[in-house]
């Protein structure tokens, strides 16, 4: 698929505007209806006897010019997948969700069935062995909550929208589009989620969760993470699209010392988690992250594989061990990351009066970050968690972390170092006495060129290191 330059984009809109004004002047159509008419002319080549032959010929010439100049930007999508069209600008993205159709199975057995139409349902609280089906032409203003439930299924091709429900607290743990607490054997398949008030899809102390073919988009509010996997095990996220404002897919852990009423006591390790075949965009924060909260004994057997990161502002791949967990046997594999010249640096807006000043600052986030900067310095630990921490060899220990086959795509406007592109990797170990070892970076590729490297890193009492791998 080709990208349009801004000159061509401006030319396109100028030609459309010229055609609209012809109809506006000739037959007194308002501008919106003129725009609709022009669109129909482009697609269907409509003749309209209401306009004069001269106007018709001028309109025909404009439309022919449009088709001639922009026909080279046509493209076909012949397989299921999630795509984003941008015209050299990160704003006004067009999502193209070419999803497989998911039919309803045994309608009589579905607890909540949403056929074609618009619904306003508030919060649906699911109990064990219940299900939701949402038709492809259904749009539901509502959210989903389940606690101490098992054997749940939420499926279909429709959309859940939480815009009806405001966030009235600073806590990010309130229910977003869907929140699961202490649930087992849950399938979420095909559904779209938008306008969440907090973390979009979150799970706490859950087991056996499968998220497949899900679309998370239109998340613009503060703290709207995409998918948060908290103190959970045996989780799979696959074939899914997430465009989040904050962290995109993150794996976290809390202990009882936080005393969070919204989620109860979380006390399980994070393990056996697979994230694969996903398309992701992150506006602010980190895209694939373990942490920042890591208050459990162990993270292990975590795989991120075959993922396209189309946009990220903070870090693309991140292990942020902010509490005391031992994190090991983590694999990032076959990850494709795009860096675009039109992606400008973020800026924190503390009030309505603050103006954005980074229009000319191109954002080139770090590829990989492994650190243990602190989420909490002191722990009010129960006996159970105190013993867990005492049994650890090191506090905030990271080892056997592998990033393999990482493909970086830079457009020609990205700044270079001495004529070459720069892949930034940050390692930051600040906990006294702790070791980072067996951190492996294997095969980094720039713009498809085979320039493989392998770096095996072991650090003890490290303050900070930044590796610049330059091609």
């Amino acid at each position: 698929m080709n990208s349009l330059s801004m000159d061509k984009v401006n030319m396109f809109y100028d030609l459309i505007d010229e055609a609209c004004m012809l109809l506006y002047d000739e037959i007194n159509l308002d501008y919106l209806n003129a725009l609709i008419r022009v669109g129909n002319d482009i697609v269907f080549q409509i003749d309209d006897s209401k306009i004069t032959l001269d106007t018709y010929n001028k309109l025909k010439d404009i439309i022919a010019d449009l088709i001639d100049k922009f026909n080279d930007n046509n493209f076909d999508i012949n397989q299921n997948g999630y795509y984003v069209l941008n015209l050299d600008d990160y704003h006004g993205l067009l999502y193209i969700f070419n999803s497989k159709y998911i039919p309803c199975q045994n309608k009589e057995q579905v607890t909540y069935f949403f056929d074609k139409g618009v619904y306003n349902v508030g919060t649906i609280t699911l109990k064990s062995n219940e299900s939701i089906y949402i038709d492809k032409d259904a749009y539901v203003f509502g959210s989903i909550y389940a606690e101490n439930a098992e054997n749940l299924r939420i499926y279909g091709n429709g959309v859940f929208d939480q815009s009806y429900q405001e966030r009235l607290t600073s806590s990010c743990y309130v229910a977003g589009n869907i929140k699961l607490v202490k649930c087992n054997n849950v399938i979420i398949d095909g559904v779209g989620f938008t306008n969440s008030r907090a973390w979009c899809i979150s799970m706490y102390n859950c087991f056996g969760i499968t998220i497949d073919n899900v679309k998370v988009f239109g998340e613009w509010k503060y703290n709207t993470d995409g998918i948060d996997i908290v103190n959970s095990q045996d989780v799979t996220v696959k074939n899914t699209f997430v465009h989040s404002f904050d962290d995109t897919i993150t794996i976290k852990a809390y202990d009882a010392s936080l005393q969070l009423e919204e989620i109860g006591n979380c006390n399980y390790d994070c393990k056996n988690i697979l994230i694969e075949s996903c398309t992701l965009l992150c506006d602010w924060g980190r895209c694939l992250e373990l942490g920042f909260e890591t208050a459990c004994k162990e993270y292990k057997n975590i795989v991120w594989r075959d993922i396209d990161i189309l946009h990220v502002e903070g870090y693309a791949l991140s292990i942020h061990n902010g509490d005391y967990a031992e994190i090991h046997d983590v694999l990032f594999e076959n990850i494709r990351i795009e860096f675009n010249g039109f992606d400008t640096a973020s800026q924190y807006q503390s009030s309505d009066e603050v103006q954005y000043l980074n229009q000319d600052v191109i954002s080139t986030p770090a590829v990989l970050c492994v650190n243990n900067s602190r989420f909490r310095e002191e722990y009010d630990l129960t006996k159970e968690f105190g013993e867990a921490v005492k049994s650890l060899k090191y506090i905030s220990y990271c080892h056997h972390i592998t990033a393999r086959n990482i493909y970086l795509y830079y457009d020609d406007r990205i700044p270079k170092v001495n004529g070459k592109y720069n892949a930034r990797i940050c390692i930051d170990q600040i906990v006294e006495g702790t070791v980072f070892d067996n951190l492996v970076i294997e095969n980094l590729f720039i713009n498809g060129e085979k320039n493989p490297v392998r770096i095996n890193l072991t650090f003890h009492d490290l303050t900070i290191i930044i590796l610049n791998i330059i091609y």
Side-chain angles (χ1 to χ4, degrees):
M1 181 171 62
N2 300 324
S3 294
L4 295 176
S5 69
M6 286 310 299
D7 287 342
K8 290 192 78 174
V9 172
N10 291 333
M11 184 193 304
F12 175 85
Y13 287 120
D14 287 345
L15 287 167
I16 291 289
D17 184 66
E18 183 180 347
C20 288
M21 292 309 296
L22 271 173
L23 295 174
Y24 181 88
D25 293 337
E26 179 74 21
I27 55 175
N28 295 319
L29 280 181
D30 62 66
Y31 196 87
L32 176 60
N33 284 317
L35 183 60
I36 294 170
R37 158 64 201 265
V38 170
N40 285 334
D41 273 335
I42 292 171
V43 176
F44 302 111
Q45 298 183 349
I46 293 174
D47 185 5
D48 191 332
S49 59
K50 292 182 180 179
I51 60 177
T52 65
L53 181 61
D54 182 57
T55 299
Y56 173 73
N57 287 333
K58 288 180 181 178
L59 187 60
K60 186 176 178 181
D61 290 342
I62 291 171
I63 291 168
D65 201 16
L66 280 167
I67 294 171
D68 179 62
K69 284 183 169 61
F70 298 97
N71 198 42
D72 60 332
N73 291 282
N74 291 342
F75 57 92
D76 295 321
I77 296 175
N78 52 22
Q79 61 184 7
N80 294 131
Y82 307 117
Y83 309 88
V84 176
L85 175 65
N86 69 65
L87 300 180
D88 216 23
D89 186 355
Y90 185 59
H91 302 89
L93 301 179
L94 175 64
Y95 302 132
I96 304 171
F97 299 150
N98 190 27
S99 306
K100 66 177 183 180
Y101 174 63
I102 302 174
C104 181
Q105 300 172 353
N106 300 320
K107 178 179 176 181
E108 295 74 15
Q109 298 180 17
V110 173
T111 314
Y112 299 91
F113 180 86
F114 295 100
D115 207 343
K116 177 181 179 180
V118 178
Y119 304 83
N120 193 333
V121 299
T123 300
I124 298 173
T125 300
L126 288 177
K127 300 176 182 178
S128 292
N129 304 307
E130 292 189 334
S131 60
I132 297 174
Y133 178 79
I134 177 168
D135 182 78
K136 66 181 180 64
D137 294 318
Y139 198 92
V140 179
F141 289 96
S143 58
I144 302 167
Y145 180 80
E147 184 172 359
N148 292 314
E150 62 182 3
N151 305 323
L152 307 178
R153 188 178 184 193
I154 302 156
Y155 69 113
N157 298 102
V159 175
F160 271 89
D161 184 328
Q162 202 190 14
S163 58
Y164 75 99
Q165 194 169 14
E166 293 296 325
R167 177 175 167 182
L168 302 176
T169 173
S170 61
S171 172
C172 57
Y173 310 117
V174 297
N177 287 119
I178 178 168
K179 180 178 178 180
L180 306 173
V181 180
K182 299 177 183 176
C183 293
N184 300 327
N185 189 24
V186 179
I187 296 174
I188 308 172
D189 186 9
V191 182
F193 297 97
T194 190
N195 282 319
S196 181
R197 64 174 177 172
W199 296 353
C200 177
I201 300 175
S202 62
M203 63 194 77
Y204 305 83
N205 273 16
C206 290
F207 294 83
I209 310 297
T210 299
I211 298 174
D212 190 9
N213 288 300
V214 164
K215 285 80 68 178
V216 175
F217 60 98
E219 306 298 349
W220 57 275
K221 299 175 184 175
Y222 190 67
N223 280 138
T224 45
D225 290 5
I227 300 173
D228 288 81
I229 302 166
V230 185
N231 295 88
S232 295
Q233 301 178 10
D234 303 317
V235 176
T236 297
V237 179
K238 59 184 179 179
N239 307 317
T240 286
F241 177 94
V242 182
H243 184 175
S244 61
F245 170 74
D246 209 336
D247 301 330
T248 307
I249 300 180
T250 182
I251 304 171
K252 300 178 181 291
Y254 299 97
D255 60 31
S257 66
L258 279 176
Q259 298 179 346
L260 298 171
E261 294 182 3
E262 302 98 324
I263 61 177
N265 291 333
C266 290
N267 52 9
Y268 291 106
D269 293 334
C270 299
K271 61 184 181 182
N272 305 329
I273 298 171
L274 172 64
I275 317 292
E276 68 175 349
S277 302
C278 294
T279 301
L280 310 176
L281 296 90
C282 178
D283 288 344
W284 181 74
R286 303 179 182 221
C287 199
L288 304 181
E289 177 169 52
L290 276 66
F292 182 16
E293 304 90 321
T294 59
C296 67
K297 185 176 179 180
E298 189 176 31
Y299 281 64
K300 70 175 182 180
N301 299 335
I302 297 171
V303 176
W304 317 75
R305 177 185 292 127
D306 189 26
I307 292 172
D308 290 284
I309 299 176
L310 305 186
H311 174 81
V312 61
E313 177 54 33
Y315 296 92
L317 318 177
S318 173
I319 295 177
H320 197 174
N321 196 348
D323 286 299
Y324 50 81
E326 176 186 359
I327 297 178
H328 64 99
D329 293 294
V330 177
L331 173 64
F332 300 96
E333 184 175 45
N334 297 335
I335 312 294
R336 297 165 292 277
I337 308 169
E338 295 186 12
F339 299 93
N340 299 297
F342 53 78
D343 289 340
T344 56
S346 63
Q347 175 186 325
Y348 185 76
Q349 184 181 25
S350 57
S351 69
D352 290 341
E353 289 71 34
V354 175
Q355 299 296 310
Y356 182 66
L357 302 175
N358 290 334
Q359 295 92 336
D360 300 321
V361 181
I362 295 176
S363 175
T364 51
V367 174
L368 171 66
C369 177
V370 181
N371 73 15
N372 55 12
S373 58
R374 303 290 73 204
F375 179 66
R376 290 177 291 171
E377 290 291 348
E378 302 295 335
Y379 302 98
D380 178 21
L381 296 168
T382 63
K383 180 180 178 180
E384 176 187 357
F385 288 96
E387 292 301 316
V389 172
K390 288 177 184 177
S391 70
L392 295 172
K393 182 179 180 180
Y394 302 111
I395 298 297
S396 302
Y397 180 27
C398 297
H399 64 97
H400 292 90
I401 312 296
T402 299
R404 178 187 301 133
N405 298 337
I406 310 300
Y407 298 85
L408 311 178
Y409 297 93
Y410 295 82
D411 78 22
D412 55 14
R413 291 163 293 182
I414 300 295
K416 297 181 179 181
V417 177
N418 298 323
K420 297 183 178 180
Y421 291 114
N422 179 4
R424 190 158 53 94
I425 296 171
C426 302
I427 313 295
D428 185 6
Q429 200 297 97
I430 67 169
V431 177
E432 183 178 356
T434 288
V435 171
F436 282 180
D437 62 28
N438 285 290
L439 309 183
V440 176
I441 303 166
E442 183 177 352
N443 297 341
L444 281 175
F445 299 90
I446 302 292
N447 288 349
E449 295 183 7
K450 288 191 175 183
N451 293 299
V453 306
R454 179 183 172 88
I455 302 174
N456 196 321
L457 307 171
T458 298
F459 296 117
H460 180 79
D461 287 342
L462 168 74
T463 301
I464 187 167
I465 184 170
I466 298 179
L467 301 177
N468 289 304
I469 300 172
I470 301 172
Y471 297 101

